Amino acid sequence: MTMVSKLVLTRNQLLEIVRRHEDSEIQGAAAAAFQRNRGAAGKRHGDAHEPIGNAWQKLPRVVRDLDQELEKPIELEMIGADTELDRQVLELIKYPLTHMVRNSADHGLEGPEERKAAGKPEKGMITLAVYHEGGHIIIKLKDDGKGLDVDAIKCKAISNGMHTEAELEKMTGAQIHELIFGAGFSTAAKITSVSGRGVGMDVVRNNIELIGGSVDLKSVQGKGTSFIIKIPLTLAIVFTLIVESSGDRFAIPQLSVVELVRVQNNFEHRIERIKDTPVLRLRNKLLPLLHLSSLLGMKTTANADEALDQDNGFIVVIQVGSQTFGVVVDGVFHTEEIVVKPMSTMLRNIAMFSGNRILGDGSVIMIIDPNGIASAMASHASSALLEQEEDEHDERKKFIDHHATTSMLLFRAGSAEPKAVPLSLVTRLEEFSVSDIERSNGRDLV
């Protein structure tokens, strides 16, 4: 592996020289060297790849044990066992796969009586499918169980102090499903040998993100749950796109790049604004935008917005799982095949970078982690949404203050005189017994 790493670096240095010289003799020698290098890299890939079936050969036994322990008849279907994968990646996904199969059996599938009542066959079905798609390996784990219990997830999130009831009310079903990836999160009622130990889906997601992958989740109440894992074919050699932001160069893994867009005032693709938030209109779809320099904290947001206001520049459209977004960069150079050097242990807490590498011209370059950017984009979007909600609340308040006619909800409380509250402030009406009222810290609570 070290030899291949040195070979790639030497090849990149030669490529840098070829770019500066038009000499056809040098170019001929370089082409021959690249060809030999490709042969060596191909051999390394051939030697280091194994069928994924080697990682899941113990799963049928795990399912048989769970069948007896949980007293649920379970069938495991495995598709694509001969799909080949880098040996390092294979080692790292063994644990997540086993854990997710156990989770599907315990939390996903119902007992035989419950399945019968729901009109399903008594035997629960877990399907594990693996296939190649655009330079990635896709692992799909699906069960035909009851789906994720949204109410149980909400209760656990409140009792864990992760979210308040008001915050959960504003969340979509998909956002509530994502909470199962929180650290130490488990909806199991009691600790057993199968579940409830609080070492769960957070560890699975961390393991997969360590190898540059992503985990997506889809769940339908009563129909079942699907987990889609997307991981790169190999860990070692990565094709990257070299970009520039605030005078520094960065490498973005090409596997996550959907396309490059050049925006200008008179072009078909243009930057628009929704509530002062820049978005890219790309073939009638709106993509959220953020400047790479503001994501990395190299520029203040104000400066980054000024750059966006010019309405021209380069936008790298990135896809991570089901999320698609645009990252604005100052310049795009070329693509380069590089061997990733992992981040130093002192810097591993920086989620934005997955590693570093020396380029052909001798400069050190940081490799951007698309998963880190995706989570930063999500937090940026949620803070923008919060500001937007505050603005809307202020506008609603002004409307109430300045308009003579307002819809009111009339009620009696305490005394015989009627009281009123603006209807726009009422979320819903609920009926409950007075005995349910509790007193805490000098306040009445329900």
Side-chain angles (χ1 to χ4, degrees):
M1 196 55 234
T2 310
M3 283 305 296
V4 172
S5 167
K6 286 176 181 172
L7 197 57
V8 170
L9 180 56
T10 311
R11 196 275 314 269
N12 289 346
Q13 286 171 334
L14 188 56
L15 189 62
E16 197 67 38
I17 297 165
V18 170
R19 280 198 196 103
R20 292 199 295 266
H21 296 81
E22 294 301 317
D23 191 327
S24 58
E25 235 179 288
I26 294 178
Q27 286 186 338
F34 297 159
Q35 209 54 42
R36 287 190 199 106
N37 177 65
R38 201 164 288 282
K43 184 180 185 310
R44 160 27 232 146
H45 282 303
D47 293 346
H49 277 63
E50 265 184 49
I52 195 166
N54 294 359
W56 69 25
Q57 58 194 5
K58 290 182 182 170
L59 290 180
R61 170 72 191 272
V62 169
V63 169
R64 277 199 303 274
D65 291 348
L66 288 168
D67 185 319
Q68 290 169 2
E69 197 172 335
L70 301 169
E71 294 175 356
K72 294 178 184 176
I74 305 165
E75 188 179 331
L76 176 67
E77 184 186 14
M78 299 191 289
I79 304 161
D82 53 352
T83 307
E84 292 205 337
L85 197 56
D86 189 299
R87 199 173 288 142
Q88 286 172 283
V89 178
L90 211 57
E91 282 301 314
L92 287 164
I93 64 161
K94 272 183 189 174
Y95 167 76
L97 274 182
T98 310
H99 185 86
M100 288 168 82
V101 166
R102 291 167 72 89
N103 247 14
S104 291
D106 188 25
H107 294 286
L109 298 175
E110 315 95 323
E113 295 302 319
E114 210 179 320
R115 287 180 70 83
K116 227 188 219 174
K120 295 180 184 178
E122 275 189 43
K123 187 174 268 193
M125 187 75 162
I126 298 173
T127 308
L128 187 58
V130 182
Y131 53 93
H132 285 251
E133 191 182 86
H136 283 87
I137 289 278
I138 309 292
I139 302 173
K140 200 169 183 180
L141 182 78
K142 191 171 75 174
D143 67 61
D144 65 344
K146 58 179 179 285
L148 292 178
D149 187 338
V150 173
D151 293 332
I153 294 170
K154 279 184 178 179
C155 290
K156 194 70 183 179
I158 293 167
S159 67
N160 281 5
M162 287 166 72
H163 291 281
T164 63
E165 202 171 334
E167 286 170 343
L168 290 169
E169 284 293 328
K170 291 177 188 172
M171 287 186 184
T172 62
Q175 285 173 322
I176 290 167
H177 292 161
E178 284 287 313
L179 296 178
I180 68 164
F181 291 107
F185 193 93
S186 175
T187 53
K190 60 181 187 289
I191 296 171
T192 66
S193 60
V194 181
S195 65
R197 298 182 303 279
V199 180
M201 295 307 292
D202 58 321
V203 179
V204 168
R205 178 170 267 183
N206 289 347
N207 279 20
I208 287 160
E209 286 185 353
L210 273 176
I211 53 176
S214 61
V215 188
D216 252 7
L217 162 66
K218 285 177 187 159
S219 183
V220 180
Q221 198 86 32
K223 296 280 173 68
T225 306
S226 296
F227 289 95
I228 298 131
I229 301 171
K230 197 175 183 181
I231 47 179
L233 281 168
T234 179
L235 290 185
I237 298 171
V238 178
F239 284 93
T240 58
L241 177 72
I242 310 294
V243 298
E244 184 184 37
S245 184
S246 300
D248 283 320
R249 283 181 297 171
F250 298 94
I252 301 175
Q254 252 181 281
L255 286 173
S256 303
V257 177
V258 180
E259 62 184 300
L260 275 174
V261 179
R262 179 88 165 96
V263 286
Q264 277 184 330
N265 283 325
N266 53 352
F267 275 33
E268 175 198 354
H269 309 308
R270 60 191 186 277
I271 292 173
E272 296 181 12
R273 289 188 165 267
I274 296 174
K275 279 272 184 188
D276 297 332
T277 305
V279 290
L280 169 69
R281 186 173 288 282
L282 183 65
R283 291 184 290 279
N284 292 326
K285 270 181 78 180
L286 290 178
L287 298 183
L289 281 185
L290 211 56
H291 209 289
L292 183 60
S293 54
S294 67
L295 272 171
L296 301 176
M298 295 156 70
K299 252 186 193 176
T300 62
T301 314
N303 290 344
D305 282 349
E306 277 169 33
L308 286 172
D309 279 336
Q310 294 164 8
D311 283 351
N312 54 58
F314 295 98
I315 294 171
V316 183
V317 180
I318 294 175
Q319 183 169 9
V320 177
S322 56
Q323 258 184 296
T324 307
F325 49 88
V327 175
V328 185
V329 294
D330 301 336
V332 176
F333 293 102
H334 51 269
T335 59
E336 197 157 307
E337 196 181 4
I338 58 177
V339 176
V340 179
K341 292 284 182 193
M343 293 283 280
S344 154
T345 44
M346 287 187 290
L347 303 175
R348 281 203 186 136
N349 60 325
I350 304 172
M352 288 294 175
F353 304 116
S354 59
N356 49 61
R357 187 63 195 141
I358 302 167
L359 287 185
D361 61 2
S363 57
V364 176
I365 194 165
M366 300 303 288
I367 300 161
I368 299 285
D369 183 357
N371 291 306
I373 287 192
S375 31
M377 285 289 283
S379 61
H380 180 83
S382 60
S383 62
L385 192 69
L386 202 66
E387 284 171 23
Q388 184 181 325
E389 280 179 2
E390 283 171 7
D391 291 347
E392 282 173 5
H393 180 72
D394 291 343
E395 281 171 27
R396 197 157 57 220
K397 196 168 179 297
K398 281 177 195 166
F399 179 86
I400 291 166
D401 291 345
H402 290 91
H403 285 67
T405 57
T406 306
S407 296
M408 307 291 276
L409 175 75
L410 289 174
F411 63 93
R412 279 200 174 84
S415 57
E417 295 84 12
K419 293 172 177 65
V421 65
L423 200 57
S424 59
L425 301 178
V426 178
T427 309
R428 63 175 185 270
L429 292 176
E430 278 195 28
E431 204 172 323
F432 57 87
S433 167
V434 179
S435 61
D436 290 346
I437 298 174
E438 297 172 23
R439 194 149 182 84
S440 170
N441 204 20
R443 297 178 106 183
D444 291 323
L445 305 170
V446 170

